[in-house]
Amino acid sequence: MASEGGKIDPMHQFMIEPIVPLNLAGYDISFTNSSLFMILVMATIWVFMLGGMKRQMVPGRWQAAVEGVNGFINDMVSTSVGPEGKKYVPLVFSLFMFILVANFMGMMPFGIVPGGHAFTVTSHLTVTAVLAILSFGTVLVVGFWKHKLHFFSLFVPHGTPWWLMWLIPFIELFSFLIRPFSLALRLFVAMTAGHVLMKVLAGFVINGLNADAAWVAPVVSLPAFILMIGITMLELLVCAIQAYVFALLTSLYINDAVNLH
Amino acid sequence: MPQISQILATYASQFFWLLIVFALIYFLIGKGILPKVDAAVDARDAKIASDLAAAEKVRGEAEGLEGAWQAELTQTRNAAQAEAQKAKAKAQKDAEARLAKADAEIAAKTSEAEAGIAKARAKALSGLEAVAADAAQDIVAKVSGIKVTPAQATLAVKAALTNG
């Protein structure tokens, strides 16, 4: 949270600040706060997954949780893609876990540590775009690998009347090509909007408490704080839903590539 | 919005670190740990399924044993009943046979006795004839003084007896 001259900038939380400047072949690949949170996310997932490695016949709570997530992704992929979907489980799982943990990591109250502030990796278009391209690229590669040029029949749905042949394939092609953008923008916008909203509300609370007039605090800060609690709950829900939507859409798109229509 | 205003300055770093991190997650966790978790789940499911199947099999066996036992019981009971029936029938037949034999014996003894009686009677009767002929001869001789031959007397007695 940045208070520059008493003004709270809700966008400051999205700033990428270099921690260790690095340069590779003319590209700036500095280790930034964003990179730090990516690694934090990875470490969290890794620690979580280690709990599932006990492989006991009767699972403990932690192992049951890991197996629950595993079963959740397995079910999602197998209902979307069918038995052939098994080999895409690692990809969908990685996407789901990365987005889920990155979303939650952005919600963690790192601000209580002086100088620290939470960074939401998934609130960056560059990150969501790469994830969307991974998802979309997998669909393209698998589709053309499995069906060769026959993959283009995806754009001609079964039962298209001949007199709509000039229109339907273009609509289908357009909706296909828009997928990576919708995947990337949905996540980016949801996380950005949620965090901006929370920061604006937090600004109301803080500015209300700092106001000169004594009546401002109970009238502005208290309702804003109560609303903030609700919005935070909602935002936690959105974190999970966005990860779920991304993983579900990825498995549905993989289904298109594997089974065509 | 820093996501867009900073994009040219930060995209390389973002791409670089994201690809490294995501590759690590995909290969180490998605491909490394996840299949092991999956294998543990599958092993548990297989164990449960095989245990259930074994239990089902044992139950089937128990049911079969019970059925066999029941059948054996029924069979034994039927055999016992048949045996009892047979014994009863045999006893009845025996009794009948013995009764018939006794009847026959009694009948034989009766007829023998009757024959004896008849014989004795005949003997008695013939004795009576001779005594009567003697008496008639004596009476005739005493009354009329006519000598009657025993043969004549016997004849006369016989005629009197049969007519009398």
Side-chain angles (χ1 to χ4, degrees):
Chain A
M1 203 168 311
S3 308
E4 284 140 6
K7 190 168 156 277
I8 292 167
D9 177 12
M11 286 301 172
H12 183 263
Q13 57 175 326
F14 302 118
M15 285 290 282
I16 295 177
E17 284 143 4
I19 296 172
V20 182
L22 290 171
N23 204 300
L24 182 78
Y27 289 103
D28 175 22
I29 54 155
S30 303
F31 187 79
T32 61
N33 54 346
S34 174
S35 320
L36 176 69
F37 268 81
M38 287 176 198
I39 286 170
L40 205 56
V41 165
M42 178 178 70
T44 308
I45 299 173
W46 187 67
V47 169
F48 174 68
M49 290 306 286
L50 278 186
M53 289 286 281
K54 280 177 274 186
R55 304 173 74 176
Q56 288 162 341
M57 212 21 117
V58 179
R61 289 180 191 197
W62 196 325
Q63 194 188 341
V66 175
E67 284 170 2
V69 177
N70 171 46
F72 173 67
I73 299 295
N74 264 336
D75 286 353
M76 183 162 78
V77 175
S78 61
T79 46
S80 305
V81 187
E84 274 182 277
K86 194 80 186 154
K87 55 176 171 288
Y88 306 105
V89 168
L91 177 73
V92 178
F93 180 84
S94 303
L95 284 170
F96 176 76
M97 284 307 269
F98 182 77
I99 294 168
L100 183 75
V101 177
N103 290 352
F104 280 144
M105 204 56 87
M107 297 287 291
M108 292 296 131
F110 290 106
I112 58 172
V113 180
H117 75 85
F119 183 87
T120 315
V121 179
T122 41
S123 67
H124 271 259
L125 192 52
T126 39
V127 171
T128 60
V130 170
L131 296 175
I133 287 166
L134 279 173
S135 163
F136 186 69
T138 307
V139 170
L140 283 184
V141 169
V142 169
F144 281 111
W145 187 278
K146 276 186 93 80
H147 303 291
K148 306 287 184 283
L149 290 179
H150 195 61
F151 184 53
F152 285 112
S153 73
L154 188 65
F155 306 129
V156 188
H158 286 303
T160 309
W162 59 267
W163 48 271
L164 274 177
M165 272 306 199
W166 58 276
L167 180 62
I168 294 290
F170 291 103
I171 295 176
E172 288 285 325
L173 178 66
F174 186 73
S175 80
F176 182 77
L177 292 178
I178 208 88
R179 282 172 181 180
F181 298 98
S182 66
L183 273 181
L185 286 174
R186 184 183 300 111
L187 181 55
F188 154 67
V189 167
M191 297 326 291
T192 303
H195 281 271
V196 169
L197 182 59
M198 287 200 298
K199 201 66 61 160
V200 168
L201 282 172
F204 284 170
V205 176
I206 291 162
N207 286 339
L209 288 173
N210 292 339
D212 295 331
W215 60 270
V216 178
V219 173
V220 176
S221 296
L222 189 65
F225 185 71
I226 292 167
L227 185 60
M228 178 99 194
I229 293 171
I231 295 289
T232 307
M233 303 280 189
L234 192 68
E235 195 57 20
L236 285 170
L237 184 68
V238 168
C239 287
I241 287 174
Q242 286 300 324
Y244 174 65
V245 165
F246 199 102
L248 181 66
L249 285 175
T250 298
S251 50
L252 288 176
Y253 295 161
I254 288 174
N255 175 46
D256 277 352
V258 172
N259 301 318
L260 289 178
H261 270 302
Chain B
M1 190 179 269
Q3 291 99 317
I4 291 167
S5 59
Q6 278 192 314
I7 201 163
L8 285 177
T10 59
Y11 76 95
S13 153
Q14 289 280 75
F15 288 175
F16 178 77
W17 288 103
L18 178 61
L19 286 178
I20 287 180
V21 165
F22 197 78
L24 286 174
I25 291 177
Y26 181 74
F27 287 107
L28 294 185
I29 296 171
K31 289 262 186 192
I33 296 179
L34 198 60
K36 287 177 187 160
V37 173
D38 222 25
V41 174
D42 286 349
R44 182 180 313 120
D45 288 352
K47 174 99 173 86
I48 289 169
S50 76
D51 283 1
L52 278 182
E56 192 63 30
K57 197 176 146 227
V58 171
R59 202 179 67 170
E61 269 170 23
E63 267 169 10
L65 280 179
E66 209 218 321
W69 178 73
Q70 205 70 263
E72 205 178 325
L73 194 69
T74 312
Q75 202 191 338
T76 312
R77 194 187 291 128
N78 287 346
Q81 258 167 7
E83 199 69 32
Q85 203 76 33
K86 220 165 94 187
K88 215 162 125 188
K90 198 178 160 221
Q92 202 164 2
K93 223 168 103 190
D94 262 13
E96 270 167 15
R98 246 182 294 163
L99 206 64
K101 203 176 151 201
D103 270 355
E105 260 169 36
I106 289 164
K109 265 189 192 154
T110 311
S111 57
E112 201 179 299
E114 271 170 1
I117 290 167
K119 213 167 143 195
R121 200 162 147 231
K123 206 176 159 192
L125 273 178
S126 63
L128 190 68
E129 244 174 50
V131 171
D134 261 4
Q137 218 176 322
D138 284 352
I139 292 165
V140 169
K142 275 209 180 129
V143 172
S144 56
I146 307 163
K147 275 262 196 191
V148 182
T149 59
Q152 275 175 322
T154 308
L155 210 66
V157 168
K158 247 183 196 160
L161 270 178
T162 35
N163 291 341

